[in-house]
Amino acid sequence: VKGSAALNILMTCAAAWIQSILAERKRAAEEEDRTSPKLTLVLDEAWRVAGETGLAEWLQECFKLCRSWGIQVILVVHRLTDFGAVGDAGSRAARILEGLISDADVQVIFAQPYDQLELITSKLGRSRTEAEILPLLRRAEAIWVVGSRSYLNHHRISAFEADATYTDARMLGGRGEAG
């Protein structure tokens, strides 16, 4: 379904399925007087589906009710301008996505090109100093924003994580080394 309108239909079905699992887990836990297991929901390339208003509304609901449902939501985009591709400026979906960015308790911002700095200061509320650091970051370095504080971090990952997340191999014409 990649690259077709069917992706939004598939994601709408997946969202409904995930929603039913969350509701059932919560109901079962409450019935047994226990805490429901925690769940992490990762939506990589979030811009691909966020233009669908129904899906954007579902993501908004996930953000607003995540503590109640016992979930952590992680949205992954390469650049803030990726959200500009989701629909008309000022559309409901675009406004919801801007709200999600504001609602995020933690933001992890890896290296960004210079053309993103204005958006980083205006949409993410980052300082000019933080924005100026972003184009200079190396692989595995990021600014973590937790609440109102920010931290410069170097990420360390295991060999298993490196193998699972290394996506440059296709650009190198084969498997390549994670680095």
Side-chain angles (χ1 to χ4, degrees):
V1 295
K2 182 180 178 183
S4 78
L7 178 62
N8 286 335
I9 295 167
L10 176 64
M11 288 305 298
T12 300
C13 293
W17 176 68
I18 291 168
Q19 185 66 36
S20 69
I21 289 172
L22 293 172
E24 176 56 27
R25 289 165 58 116
K26 184 176 181 180
R27 186 203 56 75
E30 287 172 352
E31 231 175 57
E32 298 169 13
D33 197 30
R34 62 175 172 79
T35 304
S36 60
K38 304 298 182 242
L39 181 72
T40 300
L41 174 64
V42 179
L43 186 55
D44 193 7
E45 303 290 359
W47 62 271
R48 293 184 73 99
V49 296
E52 176 64 38
T53 302
L55 289 171
E57 289 170 344
W58 178 74
L59 287 172
Q60 182 182 44
E61 185 178 13
C62 287
F63 264 62
K64 299 291 186 189
L65 300 174
C66 63
R67 286 180 179 84
S68 154
W69 293 347
I71 63 171
Q72 169 188 18
V73 182
I74 299 173
L75 298 180
V76 181
V77 295
H78 293 277
R79 301 174 182 204
L80 286 177
T81 52
D82 288 348
F83 284 137
V86 302
D88 298 331
S91 69
R92 176 152 171 74
R95 288 192 323 271
I96 288 171
L97 291 174
E98 286 185 14
L100 294 180
I101 292 168
S102 298
D103 286 346
D105 289 335
V106 176
Q107 297 171 352
V108 180
I109 311 167
F110 287 92
Q112 293 292 307
Y114 288 100
D115 68 348
Q116 297 295 297
L117 301 187
E118 181 60 37
L119 277 175
I120 298 223
T121 56
S122 66
K123 298 288 186 194
L124 298 183
R126 305 317 330 140
S127 70
R128 177 58 57 199
T129 302
E130 290 168 318
E132 289 172 355
I133 290 171
L134 289 170
L136 308 174
L137 295 179
R138 296 175 303 211
R139 180 181 290 269
E141 291 180 335
I143 292 177
W144 278 60
V145 182
V146 182
S148 62
R149 303 199 56 181
S150 61
Y151 307 88
L152 180 60
N153 286 294
H154 182 82
H155 295 207
R156 296 181 187 185
I157 60 176
S158 69
F160 173 78
E161 292 167 317
D163 191 48
T165 61
Y166 181 67
T167 59
D168 290 349
R170 295 188 102 190
M171 293 174 22
L172 298 173
R175 175 93 174 116
E177 290 294 317

